[in-house]
Amino acid sequence: MYLQYLVIIIYTIAIVLIFMYALAQLNLLYNYLSSKKTRDKCDTFDLSNPDEVPLVTVQLPVFNEMYVMERLLDNIALLDYPKEKLEIQVLDDSTDETLHTTKAHVEQLAATGLDIKHITRENRIGFKAGALKEGLKIAKGEFIAIFDADFLPQPNWLKRTVPYFKNEDIGVVQTRWGHINRNYSLLTRIQAFALDAHFTLEQVGRNSKGHFINFNGTAGVWRKECIIDAGNWEGDTLTEDLDLSYRAQLKNWKFKYLEDVETPAELPIVISAARSQQFRWNKGGAENFRKMLWRVIKSKNISVKTKVHGLLHLLNSSMFLSIFVVAVLSIPMLYIKNEYAHLRDYFYVMSFFIMSTIIFFVCYWFMYRNIYGSGFKRFFGYIGMFFTFFSIAMGFSLHNSIAVIEGHVGKKSEFVRTPKFNIRKFKDNWRNNKYLRKKLSSNVIIEGLLMVYFGFGLYSAFIVGDQGGDFGLFPFHLMLCIGFGYVFFKSIGSKV
């Protein structure tokens, strides 16, 4: 009996946490829609006046990027900005042959009159954060634009972002990520769906009300003074961008998010690459919650509502742990429900929490409509994408929960880069990518067992109770079975 009540208590806590997160998303939706009714007015630099054009340093932190370096450098060289006001730093931590090919390419571009430098280090201390910090020491620019190796900004990108820094309170201007291979596969469509929600609903919803947002590690510009004032880059978490963002905003720097400026990039096309990226983001989020919790709570510069949104933002990745707990305990709960009649009222109350799914469905529809358009055809397409996304997201919940737990307990791990593919150039030759992990994660076997476990949950719906079964959790278990099955078979099939 005590075990049953322990299961009920843990299950209830997890499902209430998910509901609270859903309510926060609903509030962000309200903020997002409200922001569309107001016109943003702010003073900007007049870049047609040479006296107002500030000096900008573009930093390109790279590490073993054989397949995308040429594309990256050629693209950055096209930036439309006065050459005498533009400096480019290629912060190269590579350990393979790209160190030499990149150097040669940089020298070719420098010969055209471009102020571009190839900067290397003797070690990778601090990983990306360490490289950015090293480059900052000698950066000439008043403003620092940062691009990861797979990002392709438009030529007018600097002219659309830098002018906002005329407001001296602004420390960061962040742009929205685009996806050049959005429709390559189901995996890329699912990743795009999740990122689009973040870059519309969440970033606009928070920024429009003055709540904390994060620089997303790339496709944004920092005021150099802001970086230094906030304590500079630190490499003690896997998401150095989130860390510095919170430290800067706690010191009253303002962030400007530009939804209408899209910066295209390439999504991971292989599940092992998506795994490594998800692990880093989710573990880094938990590490930053651990690092920033008391700083946010004790801050006297921000409102209670901003603190709440900030803490929920830092706990974003921890929702995977709550989802995983609810999923695993849902089958025992099915049997408890049908074994103990005196708990019937409890289960009636708990059925209310299906509202969480409805809230997410509504919130994400506005994001989807914003990108793909409205109409019945689009809406039915959205229904399929929403439940596919949720199924596969739950299939990643074990993997991401392990990352979250490691982050909360303080277990350290190296910064594992996400392999880039340049899929347009190399097309179906991605299997030859030298940076792919060839060893399967041990978690894959557990994910396969979880697929079987939730298959048992589907079977259980037919055999529990005295009234011919209980199908209340059948859709949930079906999504879980499909999600874990997808992750398992995709991982086994790719052999990476």
Side-chain angles (χ1 to χ4, degrees), residues 1 42 61 72 81 92 105 144 197 201 212 214 230 271 279 312 321 354:
M1 176 62 75
C42 58
L72 170 68
Y81 201 77
D92 195 350
H105 198 154
I144 313 294
L201 176 71
F212 285 9
N214 59 300
I271 200 163
F279 193 90
L312 287 172
L321 182 57
I354 195 172

Side-chain angles (χ1 to χ4, degrees), residues 251-481:
K251 298 205 75 171
N252 288 333
W253 287 99
K254 305 301 181 186
F255 282 31
K256 178 69 177 177
Y257 178 67
L258 303 178
E259 184 186 9
D260 60 335
V261 180
E262 179 181 353
T263 310
E266 188 173 273
L267 295 161
I269 62 169
V270 181
I271 200 163
S272 63
R275 277 180 179 275
S276 65
Q277 188 178 72
Q278 288 284 310
F279 193 90
R280 187 174 73 249
W281 288 350
N282 285 290
K283 182 171 181 176
E287 287 176 329
N288 273 289
F289 177 79
R290 176 188 173 100
K291 182 175 181 176
M292 293 294 167
L293 172 62
W294 292 112
R295 300 190 201 187
V296 171
I297 290 175
K298 292 189 293 185
S299 174
K300 297 179 180 179
N301 300 325
I302 54 179
S303 67
V304 172
K305 193 170 184 179
T306 295
K307 289 181 181 183
V308 171
H309 271 290
L311 294 177
L312 287 172
H313 182 198
L314 293 170
L315 279 171
N316 265 358
S317 61
S318 299
M319 286 303 105
F320 278 105
L321 182 57
S322 294
I323 290 168
F324 184 68
V325 168
V326 168
V328 171
L329 296 183
S330 62
I331 295 177
M333 288 293 287
L334 181 64
Y335 284 89
I336 291 171
K337 176 185 176 182
N338 287 277
E339 184 72 21
Y340 299 98
H342 65 284
L343 295 175
R344 186 172 300 150
D345 290 342
Y346 162 81
F347 285 99
Y348 284 141
V349 172
M350 294 307 292
S351 64
F352 169 79
F353 289 98
I354 195 172
M355 283 294 297
S356 296
T357 304
I358 296 172
I359 291 171
F360 287 128
F361 183 86
V362 171
C363 289
Y364 287 7
W365 162 242
F366 282 92
M367 169 273 297
Y368 188 90
R369 187 183 68 174
N370 187 53
I371 294 170
Y372 294 99
S374 57
F376 284 111
K377 185 177 179 180
R378 296 293 188 192
F379 182 71
F380 284 113
Y382 166 71
I383 293 173
M385 177 56 69
F386 176 83
F387 287 105
T388 302
F389 161 71
F390 257 66
S391 297
I392 296 176
M394 290 190 292
F396 274 98
S397 62
L398 168 68
H399 177 77
N400 291 342
S401 292
I402 292 171
V404 167
I405 292 170
E406 286 190 8
H408 282 306
V409 301
K411 181 181 178 181
K412 295 298 180 182
S413 57
E414 286 195 355
F415 185 103
V416 178
R417 62 180 292 280
T418 304
K420 316 297 191 307
F421 296 90
N422 196 353
I423 200 65
R424 288 182 176 175
K425 180 176 181 179
F426 295 98
K427 298 181 180 178
D428 293 326
N429 295 326
W430 60 263
R431 291 181 183 273
N432 298 322
N433 190 305
K434 64 180 287 187
Y435 304 125
L436 285 174
R437 292 177 60 192
K438 302 300 180 183
K439 185 179 179 182
L440 281 174
S441 167
S442 57
N443 297 335
V444 171
I445 304 302
I446 303 175
E447 286 160 348
L449 294 174
L450 284 166
M451 175 189 67
V452 175
Y453 176 70
F454 292 114
F456 172 73
L458 295 174
Y459 167 74
S460 298
F462 292 92
I463 63 172
V464 297
D466 301 322
Q467 305 297 324
D470 185 340
F471 294 91
L473 288 172
F474 190 88
F476 184 50
H477 291 153
L478 179 61
M479 292 170 65
L480 285 163
C481 188

Side-chain angles (χ1 to χ4, degrees), residues 126-321:
F127 304 107
K128 180 181 176 181
L132 294 170
K133 187 175 183 178
E134 193 72 19
L136 196 68
K137 293 178 182 178
I138 57 173
K140 295 183 289 188
E142 181 183 353
F143 303 106
I144 313 294
I146 301 172
F147 299 102
D148 283 349
D150 52 336
F151 279 74
L152 302 169
Q154 297 295 325
N156 66 350
W157 193 91
L158 288 174
K159 289 185 174 180
R160 297 184 70 187
T161 54
V162 171
Y164 289 94
F165 284 103
K166 187 162 188 179
N167 180 343
E168 296 184 353
D169 292 332
I170 291 180
V172 172
V173 173
Q174 174 67 51
T175 66
R176 176 172 59 88
W177 292 8
H179 318 292
I180 60 177
N181 61 332
R182 173 191 297 271
N183 295 315
Y184 179 81
S185 66
L186 178 60
L187 181 63
T188 58
R189 287 195 292 272
I190 291 302
Q191 293 175 86
F193 187 92
L195 287 169
D196 289 341
H198 170 69
F199 281 99
T200 54
L201 176 71
E202 295 182 356
Q203 289 288 66
V204 177
R206 294 190 181 103
N207 192 228
S208 64
K209 297 299 182 182
H211 304 321
F212 285 9
I213 65 169
N214 59 300
F215 167 66
N216 294 105
T218 177
V221 190
W222 282 84
R223 188 186 295 271
K224 185 177 181 180
E225 180 190 352
C226 173
I227 297 175
I228 295 170
D229 182 54
N232 216 322
W233 296 102
E234 295 179 357
D236 56 343
T237 73
L238 292 179
T239 46
E240 72 294 321
D241 46 4
L242 180 60
D243 170 29
L244 184 58
S245 296
Y246 266 65
R247 285 189 279 121
Q249 288 167 109
L250 284 169
K251 298 205 75 171
N252 288 333
W253 287 99
K254 305 301 181 186
F255 282 31
K256 178 69 177 177
Y257 178 67
L258 303 178
E259 184 186 9
D260 60 335
V261 180
E262 179 181 353
T263 310
E266 188 173 273
L267 295 161
I269 62 169
V270 181
I271 200 163
S272 63
R275 277 180 179 275
S276 65
Q277 188 178 72
Q278 288 284 310
F279 193 90
R280 187 174 73 249
W281 288 350
N282 285 290
K283 182 171 181 176
E287 287 176 329
N288 273 289
F289 177 79
R290 176 188 173 100
K291 182 175 181 176
M292 293 294 167
L293 172 62
W294 292 112
R295 300 190 201 187
V296 171
I297 290 175
K298 292 189 293 185
S299 174
K300 297 179 180 179
N301 300 325
I302 54 179
S303 67
V304 172
K305 193 170 184 179
T306 295
K307 289 181 181 183
V308 171
H309 271 290
L311 294 177
L312 287 172
H313 182 198
L314 293 170
L315 279 171
N316 265 358
S317 61
S318 299
M319 286 303 105
F320 278 105
L321 182 57

Side-chain angles (χ1 to χ4, degrees), residues 1-12 329 336:
M1 176 62 75
Y2 292 113
L3 180 60
Q4 286 90 334
Y5 280 114
L6 180 62
V7 169
I8 290 172
I9 291 170
I10 296 173
Y11 181 86
T12 303
L329 296 183
I336 291 171

